[in-house]
């Protein structure tokens, strides 16, 4: 494989922002969010973290019930802006590590199906030891042969990263603001 990285081609994919909802379009089932870039980004209702959305007991899962103009929202870029379209967003944050992907607010754990069954079993045992209660991860194919210590370090680093994002997005934080930027391709 051959990759080329240019300074002018900086990708936003994976970056986490504290954005401000500019407007909500129920007919499109989307919200436009200011993340501090040239154009507003779009958050479709299918990408809303409904578990975190504060809906009343009888409220339907509609974007206009979850978000209002002026709301602050924690989002992650899933697709770079193209032409006149802004970036695509999700409010279901995930942080990629070397061996696993940390999924805050999710307690489900998954292991790549590309790994052989005996390796999947070995990794499951290690996960039981290294993961705190209520933490969700997806184990990547790259974890094949990874040691207990390597997985432990990956989990700890990703949890610190998430704690930092949460701290920086606190009640007094100004929106829009970049809370976490993915390193460039070289890193």
């Amino acid at each position: 494989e051959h990759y080329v990285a240019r300074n002018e081609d900086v990708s936003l994919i994976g970056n986490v922002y504290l954005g401000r909802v500019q407007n909500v379009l129920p007919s499109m089932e989307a919200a436009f969010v200011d993340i501090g870039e040239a154009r507003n980004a779009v958050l479709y209702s299918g990408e809303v973290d409904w578990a975190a959305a504060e809906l009343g007991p009888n409220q339907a899962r509609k974007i206009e019930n979850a978000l209002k103009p002026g709301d602050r929202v924690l989002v992650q870029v899933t697709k770079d802006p193209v032409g006149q379209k802004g970036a695509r967003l999700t409010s279901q944050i995930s942080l990629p590590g070397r061996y696993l992907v940390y999924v805050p607010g999710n307690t489900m754990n998954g292991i790549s199906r590309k790994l052989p069954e005996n390796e999947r079993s070995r990794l499951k045992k290690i996960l039981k030891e290294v993961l705190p209660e209520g933490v969700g991860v997806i184990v990547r194919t790259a974890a094949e042969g990874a040691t207990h210590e390597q997985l432990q370090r990956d989990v700890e680093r990703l949890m610190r990263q998430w704690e930092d994002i949460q701290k920086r997005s606190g009640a007094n934080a100004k929106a829009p603001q970049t809370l976490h930027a993915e390193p460039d391709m070289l890193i």
Side-chain angles (χ1 to χ4, degrees):
E1 295 180 9
H2 177 82
Y3 295 96
V4 177
R6 294 185 182 92
N7 286 339
E8 65 271 9
D9 295 339
V10 178
S11 175
L12 302 177
I13 294 174
N15 291 0
V16 179
Y17 296 90
L18 180 61
R20 182 165 305 283
V21 177
Q22 294 300 304
N23 54 347
V24 178
L25 298 178
S27 61
M28 269 181 69
E29 292 190 45
F32 289 91
V33 180
D34 179 5
I35 59 170
E37 295 296 318
R39 287 183 299 281
N40 287 338
V42 65
L43 174 64
Y44 288 102
S45 63
E47 294 295 330
V48 171
D49 183 359
W50 293 107
E54 295 173 6
L55 296 178
N58 298 326
Q59 280 189 309
R61 284 188 170 187
K62 293 183 178 273
I63 195 133
E64 64 269 25
N65 294 336
L67 299 170
K68 304 275 181 271
D71 285 355
R72 294 175 341 133
V73 61
L74 193 63
V75 291
Q76 186 171 34
V77 175
T78 58
K79 188 175 179 188
D80 279 321
V82 178
Q84 295 300 312
K85 292 184 175 184
R88 288 271 303 262
L89 302 173
T90 182
S91 60
Q92 300 162 10
I93 311 294
S94 62
L95 301 172
R98 174 73 184 104
Y99 302 110
L100 40 87
V101 177
Y102 178 56
V103 188
N106 190 341
T107 57
M108 297 290 290
N109 293 318
I111 298 178
S112 170
R113 297 231 182 266
K114 293 179 185 172
L115 293 171
E117 196 54 47
N118 60 340
E119 181 65 1
R120 289 169 52 91
S121 300
R122 183 186 77 84
L123 290 168
K124 264 184 204 164
K125 285 181 192 150
I126 294 173
L127 281 182
K128 283 183 180 158
E129 297 169 22
V130 301
L131 286 180
E133 196 66 37
V135 170
V137 297
I138 301 164
V139 179
R140 305 170 83 142
T141 310
E144 187 169 14
T147 66
H148 183 284
E149 291 74 28
Q150 287 173 315
L151 291 170
Q152 177 82 42
R153 278 197 308 270
D154 219 20
V155 167
E156 288 170 358
R157 184 182 61 76
L158 292 169
M159 287 180 66
R160 278 195 310 273
Q161 207 173 11
W162 176 241
E163 286 169 12
D164 180 57
I165 289 170
Q166 284 187 303
K167 221 179 282 171
R168 294 179 59 206
S169 69
N172 298 330
K174 301 275 186 261
Q177 150 177 205
T178 305
L179 299 176
H180 169 74
E182 285 295 309
D184 64 24
M185 192 186 311
L186 188 62
I187 303 298

